Structures are given as C-alpha cells and as structure tokens.
Amino acid sequence: MGGYSASGSASENQVSINGGSIEGTILAGGAYEDVGGASQNIVSVSGGTVSGKILAGIGYGSQTKKVENNKVEISGGVLQNDITAGSATASTVEVKVTGNQVSITGGTFIGKQNDDSTAILKIVGATALSTNNNTELSGNSITITGGTFSVGKEEGALDTEPEKKIGIYAAEGKVKVSGNSVTVQKAEDKESLSISVTEIMAGKSIGESGDVSGNILTIGEKTTVSGTLYGGYANNGALVQNNEVKVNGTVNGSVYGGYSQNASAGTNTVAVTNGTVNGSI
C-alpha cells in the first residue's frame, strides 16, 4: 500500500510498478473512517505481471465524504485482475465521487476465465456502493489509446471451455450515475487502434435506484472496437436517459445509447459519423 489511514484521510500517495510479479492487491491510498476520504492517489504500471487487483483510492468507512481525482495509469505490463481508480464502498452519508481516471496507453489485459458465467475482469473509473440517495458518480473517465485485450476463446479451445471476459465502465454503482465518459481513440503517433472486449459502458447502475444520465462513450477515428457498447445501462429499476454513444471508427457488435432492464430508457442517442457499425443499433 502506498498509504493507509485507519482514522484519517489518504491523499497524494503513489505506487509504481515497473517490473516483477505482484500477486496481492495494489492500493495507493486507503482511508477507513474519515470524512476526508481518498483523493489524488496514483497507481502507475509500466511493466511486470500483476495478478492482484489494482485500486488507486478507496474510502472504506460509513462516514466517507470524498473519493476524488484518483488515477490509474497503465503503459505496459500484464494485467490479470480488476482495476479501479476510485471507490467508495460503504458510506451512509453523501459522498463526492468525481474526477477519478483510468488511462491506458499500453499493456496486456487478460480476461477472467472460469465456470462462473458472471466472471469478468473489470476496468472501472469509479464505483460507489453508498446507501445515501444523494451520492452521485459524476465526472469519472476512462481513456484508452493503446493496449492488447485478450477475450473470448483461444484457437483450438474446447466448446465447454469458458470465454475470457473484460468489461470497461467509467462509473458503476448503486447511486446516481451521470456525466461520466469512456473514450477509445488511437494515439496521435499511431496509424490505428483495435481492441476486443466483452462490453463497454460509460455509466452503469447496479442498485435498486439511481438514474443513469448524461454519460458518453466515444469511439474515435481509425479505431476498431469489438464488443457490445452502452452509453448508459441499468440492470435494475433505474431510469436511463440522455446518454450517448459516438462512433467515428468501427464497431463490431451491438450499440445502445441507453439500456434499462426494468425501467424506462428515453432520449438516448447513438451517433455514427464517418463510422461503421457491424451489428445492431
């Protein structure tokens, strides 16, 4: 751990992985029971193999009020487990969960693969499991300009062998999810970018309430993404509205501006500009 406090805030801590093998959890800054929470903590990975989870900043306690501006930067290495920039796990008060970022310019990401059909390697800008209805996940982001993503089944695999899965979520939580973004865009010094994942969601609600709105997923020019894309998504009774997917490159898979399992989905948008979608919209 870069820094951990059992009774105070955790801020401006940093962990850098340049090589070697890490099997346990990597945590830059953790605050257990403090209103100051976790902010401006950074995990950077440029090499090595990481099989444990990565967390930049996390607020554990019921009184955590702030989890903001934490960052995970990945430019190399092999990543085999969940990656989260900012997390508020158990707060009963209103929490500010904003400005948390994941930046991926390189590295190899190995999807989770086991008999549990729900198993998926998650790359998350921010998550909040707060029980306070005023908590909001907003302004969190994921930017991908490089990297290799290993999903699906390898050539020659048995039919009974489970697929490798990777999911990318700018924000995921049981609260309001608004104004978060995912951008997949080739680097300026590269001719193109192609990645394969299971799904990408700019905003995702997993609780019984908490509307999903104003989240944006962008696929840039000369960029190909294989997988299912969602601007906003709710697997509960949350309203999904005003979310958007912008496609300027190529998508091999279905695209949803907004998707709700058990409530209304309205005024969501899929905008294809000089792009191609090889799937349903």
Side-chain angles (χ1 to χ4, degrees), residues 169-257:
Y169 317 92
E172 179 185 49
K174 295 182 177 180
V175 298
K176 297 176 184 176
V177 181
S178 66
N180 304 283
S181 65
V182 176
T183 301
V184 186
Q185 169 70 62
K186 75 172 188 69
E188 291 185 1
D189 61 343
K190 302 295 183 181
E191 292 186 2
S192 62
L193 172 66
S194 180
I195 70 169
S196 295
V197 296
T198 306
E199 60 188 21
I200 302 178
M201 301 178 184
K204 180 182 180 182
S205 175
I206 58 174
E208 294 304 318
S209 62
D211 294 346
V212 181
S213 63
N215 302 286
I216 300 175
L217 166 56
T218 302
I219 308 301
E221 295 180 354
K222 298 182 180 179
T223 299
T224 300
V225 177
S226 297
T228 305
L229 309 186
Y230 305 83
Y233 177 95
N235 63 1
N236 48 43
L239 179 66
V240 178
Q241 60 183 357
N242 298 324
N243 302 283
E244 185 174 7
V245 179
K246 300 178 180 180
V247 180
N248 299 307
T250 300
V251 176
N252 297 317
S254 298
V255 181
Y256 301 86

Side-chain angles (χ1 to χ4, degrees), residues 91-244:
S91 183
T92 58
V93 298
E94 183 178 348
V95 190
K96 186 178 182 181
V97 187
T98 186
N100 300 287
Q101 304 174 51
V102 177
S103 173
I104 297 172
T105 59
T108 299
F109 300 82
I110 309 296
K112 286 187 179 179
Q113 181 183 33
N114 59 48
D115 292 330
D116 180 359
S117 61
T118 65
I120 188 167
L121 187 154
K122 292 184 176 182
I123 302 173
V124 184
T127 183
L129 304 179
S130 173
T131 59
N132 186 288
N133 290 333
N134 292 321
T135 293
E136 185 172 355
L137 281 160
S138 64
N140 304 287
S141 63
I142 295 177
T143 302
I144 299 171
T145 59
T148 301
F149 296 77
S150 179
V151 296
K153 293 184 179 182
E154 296 180 356
E155 186 176 349
L158 299 175
D159 291 341
T160 56
E161 187 175 330
E163 295 184 355
K164 297 176 184 176
K165 297 181 180 180
I166 296 176
I168 297 170
Y169 317 92
E172 179 185 49
K174 295 182 177 180
V175 298
K176 297 176 184 176
V177 181
S178 66
N180 304 283
S181 65
V182 176
T183 301
V184 186
Q185 169 70 62
K186 75 172 188 69
E188 291 185 1
D189 61 343
K190 302 295 183 181
E191 292 186 2
S192 62
L193 172 66
S194 180
I195 70 169
S196 295
V197 296
T198 306
E199 60 188 21
I200 302 178
M201 301 178 184
K204 180 182 180 182
S205 175
I206 58 174
E208 294 304 318
S209 62
D211 294 346
V212 181
S213 63
N215 302 286
I216 300 175
L217 166 56
T218 302
I219 308 301
E221 295 180 354
K222 298 182 180 179
T223 299
T224 300
V225 177
S226 297
T228 305
L229 309 186
Y230 305 83
Y233 177 95
N235 63 1
N236 48 43
L239 179 66
V240 178
Q241 60 183 357
N242 298 324
N243 302 283
E244 185 174 7

Side-chain angles (χ1 to χ4, degrees), residues 36-66:
S39 62
Q40 297 181 335
N41 300 288
I42 299 174
V43 175
S44 60
V45 180
S46 61
T49 299
V50 179
S51 55
K53 294 182 178 181
I54 294 175
L55 289 161
I58 183 170
Y60 295 99
S62 62
Q63 299 303 304
T64 298
K65 289 189 175 181
K66 181 173 66 176

